[in-house]
Amino acid sequence: MSASVRVELGERAYDVRIGAGALGSLASNIRDALGATPARALLVIDRGIPHERVDRIAGELERAGTILTRAQVDPSEQIKSLETYGRLLESAAQARLERTDPVIALGGGIVGDLGGFVAATYRRAVPVIQAPTTLLSMVDASVGGKTGVNLSSELGGRRRLLKNFVGAFHQPRLVVADTNMLASLEARVFRAGLGECVKHAMISGSDELLSWTETNADAILSHDAAAVGELVSRSVTLKARVVAGDERETQADGGRALLNLGHTFAHAIETLDGVSPRGSDEQGLQHGEAVAIGLVAALASGEALGMAPPELAPRIRALLERLGLPTGAAGLPRADDLMSAMIDDKKTVGGRLRLIVPTGAGQARVVQDPPDSAVRAGLAAIGAP
Ligand code: GLY
């Protein structure tokens, strides 16, 4: 199954090409997207991708006439830093990239964010091509132009990792999502991406994507090529629609902010030491797992606010469990401490607490400055004592 989804952004519009083996046509797709085969390119590579795959992809680009410079990156939140960004900028300079030469980001969300930010800023912007290799980056991070790095900073008397604190909107010129790349992913990493897919279904505007995901859960988990291809294509279609409607997340309610469903809670717990998925031997939390847990919290907050219908939470929990995703966390600090930290963090960085709250199957709303009781209900639902 192959599909192409257009992200309709006027003169910045681009295609997301999805399919098994899609990277086999990367060179010709880049030529079509840029109008010519680039003379040079910086290929930013996720160190987790098998060498033979990278060599095959790089070889095809070189045969098409592009001089490639390769730069490897470890996919970790600590590495998504100003230091790595600086190193990649140097690689771009050493590669003698001109304004028309692209950065190609081959990897998961961290590589995409780093590569995209280098492209956004090197010589005041060069094109970026996103070639996502994880489910999470295919359905979310590679589409929509958010790029950036984390900032490690002393704030309020302690060192914090401020996620995505430095960055730019820089839309890719092309996204190529080769679903064959998903077969070699660790099962846990693949499942984590499903957290973002469920999130998309929960803001899709109707029950249809949610029902489709429920019906196809087993096929997706067994890596059925047609089901996985359709999942990626449906999820990207939703994301493309949201981004086209509110590219820079400026709408007060609805719009791109809805993509943050579950993320207020996810960000609060995902980097805490000693926190892991409830009922599992896995250590730490993957971002997609934290999002799954965050969805459960958001549903409980929605119920406490009288906005989420009571039948929705059990339905979403059942789907997450079926997909092998956590619905709670072990090792969480006390709800009071967690809540003060969430509120403090927001205040320290000059923001306000914002919750995205499910209001029906496929529906959600933005709630600014939610009452403490609603946040507390969310934290209790995911296991904060
Ligand atoms: N991942 C959220 C967004 O792209 O807006």
Side-chain angles (χ1 to χ4, degrees):
M1 177 256 173
S2 66
S4 185
V5 177
R6 186 93 175 145
V7 185
E8 297 289 358
L9 286 169
E11 60 184 15
R12 280 169 288 102
Y14 54 95
D15 290 323
V16 183
R17 299 203 182 272
I18 301 156
L23 280 171
S25 331
L26 182 62
S28 58
N29 282 325
I30 290 179
R31 186 196 59 222
D32 293 348
L34 300 184
T37 296
R40 297 184 162 75
L42 176 66
L43 183 63
V44 184
I45 307 156
D46 200 312
R47 207 180 288 279
I49 303 175
H51 292 303
E52 341 45 276
R53 288 219 157 166
V54 174
D55 287 344
R56 206 175 320 137
I57 293 160
E60 202 224 325
L61 293 167
E62 285 167 342
R63 274 191 299 283
T66 299
I67 300 169
L68 273 190
T69 297
R70 302 186 193 194
Q72 281 200 321
V73 170
D74 281 322
S76 97
E77 289 291 345
Q78 312 300 327
I79 296 293
K80 197 174 128 178
S81 63
L82 286 171
E83 200 187 344
T84 309
Y85 162 66
R87 176 171 71 77
L88 292 173
L89 283 175
E90 267 189 58
S91 301
Q94 282 158 6
R96 302 190 194 290
L97 249 59
E98 299 284 346
R99 295 281 289 277
T100 50
D101 295 328
V103 174
I104 304 169
L106 178 69
I110 288 170
V111 167
D113 282 7
L114 268 165
F117 189 41
V118 169
T121 47
Y122 174 78
R123 301 190 65 180
R124 301 198 184 88
V126 297
V128 61
I129 309 296
Q130 294 284 357
T133 58
T134 63
L135 180 58
L136 190 138
S137 59
M138 285 183 191
V139 300
D140 190 20
S142 65
V143 180
K146 281 191 178 174
T147 72
V149 296
N150 301 327
L151 185 64
S152 170
S153 176
E154 198 76 46
L155 268 180
R158 62 187 170 98
R159 186 146 285 277
R160 318 264 184 99
L161 189 68
L162 302 170
K163 278 197 70 170
N164 303 323
F165 229 65
V166 183
F169 284 98
H170 186 51
Q171 297 295 342
R173 297 285 287 274
L174 167 74
V175 181
V176 178
D178 184 342
T179 49
N180 279 348
M181 299 299 282
L182 301 176
S184 58
L185 282 185
E186 261 179 62
R188 184 181 180 191
V189 177
F190 177 74
R191 284 198 308 268
L194 295 172
E196 296 284 6
C197 296
V198 174
K199 176 202 79 179
H200 282 165
M202 289 175 68
I203 61 163
S204 59
S206 77
D207 195 319
E208 210 268 325
L209 186 52
L210 208 46
S211 303
W212 182 89
T213 311
E214 287 166 335
T215 307
N216 290 278
D218 292 341
I220 291 165
L221 283 176
S222 60
H223 284 269
D224 175 88
V228 171
E230 190 167 349
L231 173 75
V232 174
S233 150
R234 282 171 173 264
S235 220
V236 167
T237 302
L238 177 278
K239 172 124 194 204
R241 191 180 84 209
V242 172
V243 168
D246 182 22
E247 184 186 4
R248 296 201 167 218
E249 205 172 312
T250 50
Q251 273 181 35
D253 194 0
R256 191 163 183 167
L258 296 185
L259 292 170
N260 295 322
L261 176 61
H263 282 62
T264 304
F265 293 101
H267 286 159
I269 64 171
E270 68 189 321
T271 52
L272 294 178
D273 286 338
V275 175
S276 54
R278 189 168 57 201
S280 124
D281 297 334
E282 311 279 14
Q283 295 304 304
L285 286 179
Q286 303 255 330
H287 175 67
E289 291 171 341
V291 169
I293 295 168
L295 295 176
V296 173
L299 282 157
S301 294
E303 278 189 39
L305 288 165
M307 293 170 76
E311 68 280 4
L312 191 56
R315 181 175 174 195
I316 299 296
R317 267 176 187 272
L319 177 59
L320 294 172
E321 278 164 12
R322 209 158 143 219
L323 294 172
L325 283 162
T327 55
L332 286 177
R334 284 180 343 118
D336 281 349
D337 297 342
L338 211 37
M339 204 168 83
S340 321
M342 282 163 85
I343 292 167
D344 261 15
D345 269 7
K346 280 294 170 199
K347 285 195 181 133
T348 314
V349 298
R352 296 188 300 161
L353 203 61
R354 180 180 71 170
L355 281 188
I356 316 302
V357 170
T359 55
Q363 313 285 343
R365 302 247 350 235
V366 178
V367 177
Q368 295 286 0
D369 294 321
D372 285 5
S373 54
V375 182
R376 216 180 281 277
L379 292 171
I382 60 174

